[in-house]
Amino acid sequence: MQASLKSKHVQHDATRKLRLQEWWFRNRALIGFAFIFPWFAGFIIFDALPFIYNLYLSFTDYQIGTRGIPPWIGFENYIDIFTDDKLFGKSMYNTVYYLGFSVPLRLVFAFLIALILNLRVRGMELYRTLFYVPSVVPLVAATVIFAGFLNTRYGFLNQFLVLIGATPVRWLSSPDAIKPSLILLSLWGFGGQMIIFLAGLQSIPEDLYEAAAIDGGTGWHRLVYITVPLMTPTIFFNLLLGLIGGFQIFEQVFILIGTNGGPLQAGLVYMLHVYNKAFRDFEFGYSAALSVILFLIIFVLTIMLVYTSNRWVFYGDAQDDET
Amino acid sequence: MVRYIMIYTILSLGAIVMMVPLLWTVSTSLKTRDKITIRRLELIPDPVAFENYPYLFEARPILQYTRNTMVIVVASLFGAWVPCTLAGYAFARIPFPGRNIFFGILLATMMLPYVVRLIPLFLFFDEIGWTRTFGPLILPRVLGHNAFYIFLYRQFFRGIPEDIYDSARIDGCSEFGVWWRIFMPMSRPVLAAVSIFAFSFAWNDFLNPLIYLGSNKELWTLALGLNALQGFEGEDNSLNLIMVFSMLMIIPMLIVFYFGQKHLITGVTASGSLKG
């Protein structure tokens, strides 16, 4: 009697579970959609619609006081940008100049320091922290600190230069020094990339190095034939993110030099031009066209990098084993 | 031996160069007003002006700035903890129709630079009367509008063994139950990593507060307040206060990273985001 009761109970329990599972199976599409709904709503409101509307705006003459639907003017904004806008070329030159130095220098510093830190020297944690801390400093604070640090009369750098008998530099007020100052500021934050490199280096299997040592490989061989090839995915990742971020440099310049871009507009970067056109001159259509051009440049560059990466980025056979 | 001397020399020199701007910041923040305009290098402040710190709280509405910044931080953390984890979970474990397409869209938005959405979003928020309010800064964050966080969660959740998931399901646990009872507790590293990102991005945000709150001083964040202090007061005779303000922005970040650094690396690497 007792036994049959128990089995009944178990049976009941099992059918309940079965029903629950069925319910779940029938509704899991619904549940899945419900879980991604907030993100998807955000995607429509904050990504898709603005992106499309921005494209549309770039073909219109949207100025301050424009009411209702802005008038369509075709490619006029784009034609103006390429034929009439001196600041377009200037700001693009400044941005590429900045990128051309800051991105490779940051990669090289971050990689070299990560290599040294990976030698498992004593006190490595302390050094890692010291190199990384500047990257934790909020960008606004870092920029404001550099504004003081590079101050012509009262800043540390010039006072130090005087102390060792060098000539002080007008870092932020001479056209020649503005871009180097920005590059200096960007180098100060190489710690983020360094940490990513360090994590990559530590995931290289030890036995590869041991095998190389048995075959009589020197330190240089290990670096060139093992470390660098295995690190190419990480290098690629940092390079891509560095370029995408670098093209959009804004805050540092806005705070250090102001919206005009400093003397001779030597610090006028592309995003500053976009910002000025929209929020100073209220030429939203024109500014939208500028932003579309920047988007296309970043897009094409990303595609090109990803495409050529097949030739130099080593994705290895190890990955196939893992999955 | 020579090798070790070389290594330590390079590391020490590099570390000093990296730390000098911060040491100079601390030192300047403790100098009196007449000491900051001396044109000679003086690293140790004499006298030490600790009173600069309380003075800044009198001179500037620091507490108000902090409260405003925290509004954005809290919205950001909520979005990172609830909607983002749910979405990450759905992408990792619930096989709903069209999942791969939605995931493709998610990845594509990670590549979409903010600049192509900046102007329409501003015009939109202006149209509905939300400029000069927290609305434009809060709404996207509360909805968990961050593809990067969702991606990190998804990668991490996929690494949790399927068996655990199946056994919970067989025991009649609902999707919500699995997410809450199993995935959340097992996901501490990735939760910590994303929380650090969410905190620091909200704490550091400058462009958005500038555009939406720039003309409403009541709602200024710390970043806007710091920028104004350095922009309007003339950088020469209030350098010490500027550095006090900078320190106030740096210290909370240092604390967050100090407690989270361990998780940051494991969380991100376990998500496998670096290997693609």
Side-chain angles (χ1 to χ4, degrees), chain A residues 111-293:
Chain A
F111 192 69
L112 288 181
I113 297 293
L115 273 182
I116 297 175
L117 288 179
N118 198 41
L119 291 173
R120 273 160 229 160
V121 290
R122 206 171 295 162
M124 191 273 235
E125 283 83 8
L126 174 68
Y127 283 113
R128 190 182 64 192
T129 308
L130 292 179
F131 281 107
Y132 186 60
V133 159
S135 313
V136 174
V137 174
L139 191 55
V140 176
T143 310
V144 166
I145 289 170
F146 258 63
F149 195 72
L150 300 177
N151 183 298
T152 309
R153 278 173 297 175
Y154 313 123
F156 173 88
L157 199 52
N158 273 354
Q159 294 181 341
F160 180 72
L161 287 176
V162 170
L163 195 74
I164 60 168
T167 359
V169 178
R170 284 161 54 226
W171 293 101
L172 299 172
S173 49
S174 89
D176 295 335
I178 285 179
K179 283 189 281 283
S181 299
L182 289 173
I183 293 163
L184 217 57
L185 173 55
S186 91
L187 286 182
W188 196 44
F190 79 73
Q193 294 192 342
M194 179 197 75
I195 292 285
I196 295 175
F197 278 135
L198 207 51
L201 285 172
Q202 288 175 350
S203 71
I204 295 178
E206 196 67 35
D207 49 351
L208 286 179
Y209 292 118
E210 281 162 16
I214 290 167
D215 290 346
T218 61
W220 176 251
H221 287 144
R222 278 185 306 205
L223 177 68
V224 174
Y225 295 112
I226 300 173
T227 311
V228 171
L230 284 176
M231 286 297 286
T232 44
T234 316
I235 295 172
F236 176 72
F237 177 84
N238 276 337
L239 174 69
L240 190 64
L241 286 197
L243 281 175
I244 292 176
F247 263 112
Q248 300 183 73
I249 176 181
F250 172 76
E251 298 176 14
Q252 301 93 306
V253 195
F254 182 93
I255 295 168
L256 268 185
I257 307 163
T259 49
N260 291 329
L264 296 179
Q265 290 170 311
L268 186 84
V269 291
Y270 197 86
M271 272 297 289
L272 212 51
H273 191 36
V274 175
Y275 177 87
N276 285 340
K277 279 292 166 194
F279 299 105
R280 190 191 64 194
D281 306 339
F282 300 107
E283 294 180 25
F284 290 111
Y286 191 87
S287 182
L290 283 172
S291 77
V292 170
I293 292 171

Side-chain angles (χ1 to χ4, degrees), chain A residues 24 47 122 127 138 144 188, chain B residues 8 12 18 117 145 175 204:
Chain A
W24 171 76
D47 293 319
R122 206 171 295 162
Y127 283 113
V144 166
W188 196 44
Chain B
Y8 281 107
S12 303
M18 292 295 279
R117 296 170 286 142
H145 179 251
E175 281 303 335
N204 292 334

Side-chain angles (χ1 to χ4, degrees), chain B residues 102-245:
Chain B
F102 284 111
F103 190 63
I105 294 173
L106 182 92
L107 291 182
T109 58
M110 281 170 69
M111 291 287 164
L112 196 65
Y114 184 53
V115 60
V116 283
R117 296 170 286 142
L118 180 74
I119 293 160
L121 279 176
F122 178 79
L123 295 175
F124 164 67
F125 283 124
D126 192 40
E127 192 71 34
I128 62 172
W130 276 23
T131 46
R132 299 164 62 86
T133 72
F134 280 128
L137 301 168
I138 290 179
L139 184 64
R141 291 189 159 96
V142 168
L143 283 177
H145 179 251
N146 194 310
F148 176 56
Y149 303 161
I150 296 175
F151 176 73
L152 283 181
Y153 285 132
R154 185 251 188 193
Q155 299 299 91
F156 191 89
F157 290 162
R158 274 162 60 98
I160 294 177
E162 194 106 23
D163 305 353
I164 298 175
Y165 171 82
D166 286 341
S167 58
R169 290 237 44 89
I170 288 164
D171 289 346
C173 204
S174 68
E175 281 303 335
F176 191 79
V178 175
W179 168 77
W180 176 245
R181 282 170 216 270
I182 298 171
F183 278 68
M184 285 294 104
M186 288 183 76
S187 305
R188 281 231 193 104
V190 72
L191 277 173
V194 171
S195 303
I196 293 170
F197 288 135
F199 177 86
S200 78
F201 290 157
W203 189 258
N204 292 334
D205 196 5
F206 181 73
L207 180 58
N208 285 309
L210 177 74
I211 291 170
Y212 293 111
L213 307 174
S215 56
N216 187 358
K217 281 194 174 188
E218 292 284 299
L219 300 185
W220 272 11
T221 59
L222 286 164
L224 288 182
L226 175 54
N227 174 51
L229 180 65
Q230 101 107 15
F232 299 143
E233 305 260 302
E235 61 234 64
D236 291 357
N237 55 12
S238 56
L239 258 185
N240 50 356
L241 290 185
I242 292 170
M243 295 311 149
V244 171
F245 204 144

Side-chain angles (χ1 to χ4, degrees), chain B residues 19 58 60 126 136 146 197 266:
Chain B
M19 289 314 285
E58 277 172 42
R60 293 275 148 169
D126 192 40
N146 194 310
F197 288 135
T266 44

